[in-house]
Amino acid sequence: MAGQLKSRDRRALLLLGGALAIAAVFQLDWFAPAAGPAASGSSIEAAEQRLLLAQVKARQLPLAEAELDAVKRQLDVLEQGLLKSETASLAQAEMQQLVGDLLSAEGISMESSQFGAVQLDGEDYAQVPLNVNFQCGIEQLVNLMAAVANGPQLLATRRIRVTPENLATKSVRVQLTVAGLLPAERTPELKRKASGAGAAP
């Protein structure tokens, strides 16, 4: 789900908002009386065409507004799945708790975990990865991956390695990297570093 939530969502909102503003300006221009010589047949026909086009645009405007509202609602729902922590280090601890809860829900014990480097993901978000190692049954692993993909939190599987552990019990050993998303403004050091790299010649 994390892949669904990138800066393109915010850019879509900006583009839709700009389209609404442009449509409003066009309508004002079309309805404004034109200065110039006395009206002729051709000028009247041109005015009628402008009026017709303005009416079409006016009918389309509510559709654009509805689309903008729908995108805003979708973004609001998605952002509810962001990590809640105020700093990157707290977000790492939050990820450890979240992944631990997912493992426990499937009856899996976490053998070890390691924090990955927090990195910017686009302009608006930062990825907070966690590496975990555990042993489980194949069915448990399938259920765990479904929980990661479909849960309320925006989590994504970045890496997985599965090796057979016990053929008799159909158990496997798993090395898994899961990442959550944190608003980029809560990682100011990463934003400063990215800005400095962008400004470098």
Side-chain angles (χ1 to χ4, degrees):
M1 294 179 64
Q4 299 173 357
L5 186 69
K6 296 183 181 297
S7 57
R8 63 173 180 269
D9 295 304
R10 295 188 180 277
R11 287 195 292 270
L13 291 176
L14 294 175
L15 290 173
L16 282 170
L20 293 177
I22 291 171
V25 171
F26 283 169
Q27 290 181 54
L28 288 175
D29 288 341
W30 290 325
F31 283 113
S40 64
S42 59
S43 64
I44 292 175
E45 289 179 0
E48 289 175 345
Q49 290 296 324
R50 289 196 299 272
L51 176 59
L52 179 60
L53 185 57
Q55 290 171 339
V56 171
K57 290 291 185 180
R59 287 193 294 269
Q60 292 176 345
L61 189 57
L63 297 178
E65 290 174 340
E67 186 176 355
L68 176 60
D69 290 339
V71 173
K72 285 181 177 179
R73 287 194 299 270
Q74 182 184 25
L75 182 59
D76 289 341
V77 170
L78 288 173
E79 289 195 330
Q80 290 176 9
L82 295 175
L83 298 173
K84 305 300 189 294
S85 300
E86 293 299 325
T87 65
S89 58
L90 290 175
Q92 290 176 320
E94 184 181 352
M95 277 295 299
Q96 191 172 42
Q97 181 65 50
L98 286 171
V99 176
D101 290 345
L102 289 172
L103 291 171
S104 297
E106 301 302 331
I108 303 172
S109 297
M110 183 190 299
E111 296 179 356
S112 64
S113 65
Q114 182 179 11
F115 297 130
V118 179
Q119 296 180 332
L120 289 179
D121 186 2
E123 298 178 357
D124 301 307
Y125 304 100
Q127 281 197 17
V128 184
L130 178 71
N131 308 307
V132 293
N133 298 287
F134 55 89
Q135 181 180 331
C136 67
I138 293 175
E139 185 176 350
Q140 288 176 303
L141 178 59
V142 171
N143 292 337
L144 173 65
M145 300 310 296
V148 170
N150 302 319
Q153 292 294 138
L154 282 175
L155 301 177
T157 301
R158 310 309 301 173
R159 174 180 174 272
I160 183 170
R161 181 180 180 186
V162 181
T163 55
E165 179 67 18
N166 189 318
L167 295 178
T169 60
K170 297 182 180 180
S171 65
V172 293
R173 181 163 296 281
V174 181
Q175 296 176 329
L176 176 67
T177 301
V178 179
L181 286 178
L182 185 70
E185 61 265 21
R186 299 179 191 174
T187 60
E189 66 285 353
L190 291 180
K191 290 184 72 73
R192 284 195 298 268
K193 183 177 180 181
S195 299

